[in-house]
Amino acid sequence: MTHDEANRYLLPRREFLWRSGAAAGTFMSLGTAFSRAAHQAPPDGAQSPLIVHSEQPPNAEPRLDQLVRDWITPVERFYIRSHAPSPVLDPQTFELSIEGLVRRPLKIKLAQLRHDFSNRSVIATLTCAGNRREEHSRIQPVAGVPWGAGAIGNARWRGVPVAELLRAAGVREGAQHVWFEGADQVQREPGVISFGGSIPLDKAMRTSDRMPGALIVHQMNGQPLTADHGFPIRSVVPGYIGARSVKWLRRIVVSDRPSGNHYMARAYKVVTADADAQWRQAEAIGTFPINAVLAVPSRESSLTAGRVELQGYALPRGEPGRTITQVEVSSDGGNQWSHAGFTEPARPFCWRLWSATVNLPAGTHEIVIRATDSSGHVQPQRVAWNLKGYLFNAWHRTTISVGT
Ligand SMILES: Nc1nc2c(c(=O)[nH]1)N[C@H]1C(S)=C(S)[C@@H](COP(=O)(O)O)O[C@H]1N2
Ligand SMILES: [Mo]
């Protein structure tokens, strides 16, 4: 890849104006902001932007038809997945601590993060490991937020590559993992813990022109992070499940081992029973798998016979260089397939929106969707059940009724 090609994946540098007004706007109790966004009917009577699974902690996802309207997901239509109420942090006094296997432990203030390090903008898709859990639960029910297919969004993130921060701190020999710890307070018997997790040091340091391995970001789509999305800073790990993109990030620890945080050691693993041996043996989930979903029409849409437009998203496996190359649609339950078209270029670590037109007679039809990525990897027809309902990426099936 030439340098120019590589640069297409980066966005023009945009200076960020830290206005105290903007900061104050997001600095209130975010419980409040969340409830407002989710419940107050917009002035034109349009539908509320998010489907709320729980108010506290805030867990909500957009309706699928609204989700696929934009390749870059507006913040108000971006899913929220939190394990505790959003903490209220003071941007003036906030510090990020970098410690562990480093030569110079650092405490970095927000202003330093924005001005003393090189800030980059990167587009990456975030998706929850529990996305599509509702479908997974049809195999056999599982606990957890019953996500539809909307626990996913694509945003332009701005911040500092983790690699640059770690170079400033000086990584010591033996280091292999980078832990992230949030400032939230999750009630978990017998006490209170912070959400956390880790990524391999290799992933953090694998920075190319095209994409940093991980970023510490303070902006989402050109605005300061909202409190529900991690104000003032969070990690963003392109290609990894959302759980590794730790919100309200206050501590980075460089270590010779993975983080022992509950959300690394006893959750976000694929296991079939709540047994110590399984939790110990299973690897923590890193990258997200290939996936594709039909967003429009939905089961509830009223349709008439003739040409029906289908729209959806497809996500390549979260590994460097993988892109979505093909989406196939079937309107007869998976016997005959045709190709969907794409509305924007394919990028690694990003979803791709697609559309297709099918001709349907009156009656009931099962629409099936499957994607292929640039390494020839095809979305699986079925997936095995797991205790937490993670990583559901089977062919997406929707039964629709078409009237005369
Ligand atoms: N501190 C903290 N970070 C967190 C979480 C959390 O509960 N606390 N949830 C994680 C999970 S499971 C996901 S999927 C993403 C969701 O990010 P979003 O709410 O900005 O969409 O944040 C991750 N980071
Ligand atoms: Mo998640």
Side-chain angles (χ1 to χ4, degrees):
M1 182 171 57
T2 66
H3 191 68
D4 268 352
E5 275 168 348
N7 273 337
R8 274 198 325 226
Y9 294 93
L10 296 176
L11 293 153
R13 179 177 250 278
R14 261 211 232 153
E15 278 324 313
F16 173 51
L17 281 181
W18 187 261
R19 285 175 294 118
S20 50
T26 50
F27 177 50
M28 329 161 305
S29 153
L30 262 290
T32 324
F34 173 80
S35 306
R36 238 201 339 264
H39 295 307
Q40 205 178 60
D44 58 0
Q47 252 149 342
S48 153
L50 296 178
I51 300 160
V52 177
H53 292 293
S54 69
E55 296 228 19
Q56 265 334 329
N59 284 303
E61 66 183 303
R63 293 159 42 101
L64 293 184
D65 57 338
Q66 299 194 3
L67 178 64
V68 298
R69 269 190 215 161
D70 302 279
W71 184 64
I72 299 273
T73 313
V75 174
E76 61 279 11
R77 276 187 257 139
F78 206 99
Y79 80 99
I80 298 168
R81 200 291 177 248
S82 296
H83 293 74
S86 304
V88 177
L89 302 168
D90 180 348
Q92 302 305 321
T93 55
F94 184 85
E95 280 183 339
L96 169 66
S97 168
I98 303 183
E99 51 197 85
L101 287 177
V102 292
R103 272 186 280 280
R104 296 169 292 278
L106 301 174
K107 292 225 189 287
I108 303 174
K109 288 231 187 319
L110 272 184
Q112 293 175 296
L113 194 75
R114 291 198 310 272
H115 304 299
D116 300 353
F117 296 92
S118 61
N119 278 248
R120 294 175 62 173
S121 291
V122 156
I123 299 174
T125 295
L126 212 66
T127 186
C128 185
N131 193 35
R132 302 183 62 191
R133 180 177 283 136
E134 181 197 36
E135 289 165 79
H136 177 277
S137 275
R138 290 183 213 148
I139 310 175
Q140 186 187 321
V142 293
V145 181
W147 295 112
I152 184 169
N154 190 44
R156 177 187 290 127
W157 309 97
R158 185 159 177 81
V160 180
V162 172
E164 183 168 335
L165 297 173
L166 294 189
R167 273 193 293 271
V171 172
R172 283 180 19 209
E173 205 161 310
Q176 288 195 41
H177 297 270
V178 181
W179 305 2
F180 300 124
E181 186 189 279
D184 47 350
Q185 306 262 286
V186 190
Q187 300 285 342
R188 278 204 66 83
E189 289 314 316
V192 169
I193 61 168
S194 292
F195 186 92
S198 62
I199 59 171
L201 180 67
D202 276 358
K203 169 68 178 169
M205 303 305 281
R206 198 197 287 138
T207 287
S208 64
D209 276 352
R210 197 176 172 131
M211 185 67 77
L215 283 164
I216 304 307
V217 312
H218 49 81
Q219 272 191 38
M220 181 178 181
N221 297 348
Q223 297 295 319
L225 290 171
T226 64
D228 285 331
H229 292 293
F231 180 83
I233 57 172
R234 74 180 302 168
S235 62
V236 166
V237 187
Y240 275 50
I241 56 163
R244 311 307 175 212
S245 291
V246 175
K247 304 191 276 190
W248 315 291
L249 181 73
R250 66 168 176 199
R251 215 154 74 101
I252 294 179
V253 180
V254 179
S255 176
D256 61 352
R257 66 201 65 179
S259 157
N261 186 284
H262 170 84
Y263 296 99
M264 189 69 187
R266 308 269 309 192
Y268 299 103
K269 288 183 170 185
V270 173
V271 299
T272 53
D274 191 7
D276 280 350
Q278 281 210 28
W279 286 119
R280 264 198 313 275
Q281 269 160 32
E283 247 182 81
I285 301 169
T287 55
F288 49 68
I290 188 172
N291 217 330
V293 158
L294 174 77
V296 179
S298 71
R299 202 174 295 279
E300 292 79 33
S301 304
S302 58
L303 302 164
T304 46
R307 291 161 64 84
V308 174
E309 224 225 318
L310 312 178
Q311 283 176 58
Y313 67 77
L315 183 70
R317 185 189 280 187
E319 274 160 24
R322 298 277 181 120
T323 54
I324 288 293
T325 49
Q326 181 172 281
V327 169
E328 292 166 282
V329 307
S330 167
S331 49
D332 61 2
N335 292 314
Q336 286 181 298
W337 298 87
S338 60
H339 288 192
F342 296 108
T343 46
E344 70 296 296
R347 299 197 203 198
F349 306 123
C350 287
W351 72 3
R352 204 168 183 197
L353 301 182
W354 57 264
S355 64
T357 306
V358 288
N359 225 318
L360 297 178
T364 299
H365 305 276
E366 189 186 26
I367 309 290
V368 194
I369 308 299
R370 70 178 183 207
T372 305
D373 75 16
S374 49
S375 65
H377 182 62
V378 187
Q379 190 176 347
Q381 182 169 359
R382 289 184 198 84
V383 302
W385 180 89
N386 69 84
L387 181 75
K388 305 282 278 187
Y390 292 139
L391 308 183
F392 191 79
N393 68 335
W395 295 357
H396 189 247
R397 294 171 185 274
T398 311
T399 302
I400 58 170
S401 301
V402 174
T404 42

